[in-house]
Amino acid sequence: MSAAPVLPQKPKGKRPVGWIIAAAVVVVAIVVAVVVAAVRSGGPDGAASGGGAEKTVTIGVADKSLGYWSTYTKLAKDELGVTVELTNFSDYSLPNPALKDGQLDINQFQHIQYLADYNVTSNDDLQPIGSTAVYPLPLYSTEYDETSELPADAKVAIPNDSINQARALLILQAAELLELKDGGSAFSTTTDIESSKVDVQPLDASQTANALQQGSVAAAVVNNNFATAAKLPTSDIIYQDDPASASAAPYVNVFAVRDADKDNETYLDLAKLFQDPAVQKAFAQDLPEAVARDESAEKLQDELAKVEQDAKAAKQ
């Protein structure tokens, strides 16, 4: 066995230039690889794009069973590379807290007026990023064809949540069934009724259709989602507000997100996807009474800020 080779002594006062250059090349290669991976995965917010990994987004809704959502979720996957998971809520008080707590990424069930009242009451800052439609809020009756046919002191059910209650009271006033103090407002309550031809019965919004169908009330103001679920025919509508009027701006239904996510490109793309012709066609078939609206996120957020000011003033 030969002796181990003797290694030459390390030169003094000189740096191993070759090793430094090699190490620098390795570092640059790693940085480039990281940047390329980030670009392919859709950037820092994780949005899916051009061949990158798919993203899953959870949206809270109140009408998951309607067919237009199938069209929407298929397009989201095909066009945006996003898997949309729908979570259905039958209670309007739940989707906003679920969004705030991170159980949802987006919700789509409410109009601006409702969102403003929630933000002010809960000291929250959820923001709209896209619009869907304005729904008329109809007064239904299975027994009478005109509001003038309702007998004196007939029981009329209305939603008991603050925003839908105010809108329902304004509808009953427009139908000349009651009068509100100072003409009423978007924040009126039953305590503002100065005179009435009917007996107003505030109920949970999910129960007004049931009360009508069971015959415990002569008429009922029923929100669109619950009217659809109860299969109330449009022929039973005896009065409704005008969803195409300028005064309907606060009642535009919206996609809402947490304030920190209002510039998230994936979420903005999903809100805009609702305006796709295929989705609009399916939506019109499911909800022919709705008046579609296509508003920018900036315009919706400006409207929300105005309504929130009114809500704060009404609560003082």
Side-chain angles (χ1 to χ4, degrees):
M1 179 180 292
S2 60
V6 178
L7 298 176
Q9 291 186 347
K10 183 178 179 180
K12 296 182 180 180
K14 295 183 180 180
R15 294 183 179 276
V17 177
W19 284 103
I20 292 175
I21 293 174
V25 170
V26 171
V27 170
V28 170
I30 292 173
V31 171
V32 170
V34 169
V35 171
V36 170
V39 170
R40 288 180 177 176
S41 65
D45 68 352
S49 64
E54 286 191 354
K55 182 177 179 66
T56 298
V57 175
T58 303
I59 302 179
V61 302
D63 57 355
K64 178 181 176 180
S65 63
L66 294 186
Y68 73 90
W69 282 118
S70 296
T71 302
Y72 176 86
T73 55
K74 184 177 186 304
L75 272 179
K77 193 163 189 176
D78 293 345
E79 301 290 334
L80 303 178
V82 176
T83 298
V84 171
E85 294 184 351
L86 300 175
T87 299
N88 202 70
F89 293 87
S90 60
D91 185 338
Y92 285 169
S93 68
L94 299 179
N96 281 334
L99 178 59
K100 177 182 180 180
D101 294 342
Q103 299 173 43
L104 305 172
D105 299 308
I106 305 172
N107 69 35
Q108 195 285 297
F109 78 102
Q110 66 195 324
H111 48 56
I112 289 176
Q113 189 85 32
Y114 188 96
L115 177 57
D117 184 71
Y118 166 80
N119 277 347
V120 171
T121 302
S122 304
N123 193 30
D124 207 345
D125 57 357
L126 303 182
Q127 295 293 319
I129 59 168
S131 60
T132 59
V134 178
Y135 301 90
L137 186 58
L139 175 65
Y140 288 86
S141 179
T142 57
E143 187 176 355
Y144 303 98
D145 296 325
E146 302 285 344
T147 55
S148 59
E149 296 177 3
L150 291 170
D153 297 323
K155 291 183 179 181
V156 177
I158 66 171
N160 65 0
D161 61 273
S162 59
I163 297 305
N164 285 305
Q165 180 179 139
R167 189 180 179 189
L169 289 170
L170 290 171
I171 289 169
L172 297 184
Q173 179 173 253
E176 300 182 349
L177 294 174
L178 55 76
E179 291 184 2
L180 297 169
K181 181 180 178 180
D182 298 326
S185 73
F187 299 95
S188 292
T189 68
T190 53
T191 60
D192 294 314
I193 298 175
E194 292 191 328
S195 64
S196 180
K197 298 177 182 178
V198 294
D199 180 9
V200 178
Q201 301 280 313
L203 299 175
D204 185 276
S206 64
Q207 296 303 312
T208 57
N210 186 50
L212 178 65
Q213 291 175 323
Q214 289 186 345
S216 57
V217 297
V221 174
V222 185
N223 293 73
N224 178 74
N225 294 333
F226 299 126
T228 300
K231 298 181 180 179
L232 288 175
T234 56
S235 58
D236 283 348
I237 295 174
I238 60 174
Y239 195 85
Q240 66 182 21
D241 55 2
D242 181 6
S245 67
S247 61
Y251 300 115
V252 174
N253 278 250
V254 296
F255 286 89
V257 298
R258 293 176 291 276
D259 182 69
D261 293 330
K262 66 183 180 183
D263 296 321
N264 183 297
E265 291 186 7
T266 297
Y267 298 169
L268 289 168
D269 287 345
L270 284 170
K272 189 64 180 176
L273 184 66
F274 194 85
Q275 305 301 330
D276 185 276
V279 177
Q280 287 292 301
K281 180 179 179 180
F283 180 70
Q285 290 174 343
D286 286 334
L287 299 166
E289 70 279 8
V291 176
R293 297 287 282 266
D294 183 6
E295 309 287 357
S296 69
E298 293 77 15
K299 185 174 181 179
L300 295 170
Q301 289 160 19
D302 286 346
E303 182 67 26
L304 175 67
K306 294 176 185 176
V307 179
E308 284 181 347
Q309 289 181 349
D310 293 340
K312 290 175 182 176
K315 295 179 184 298
Q316 290 180 350

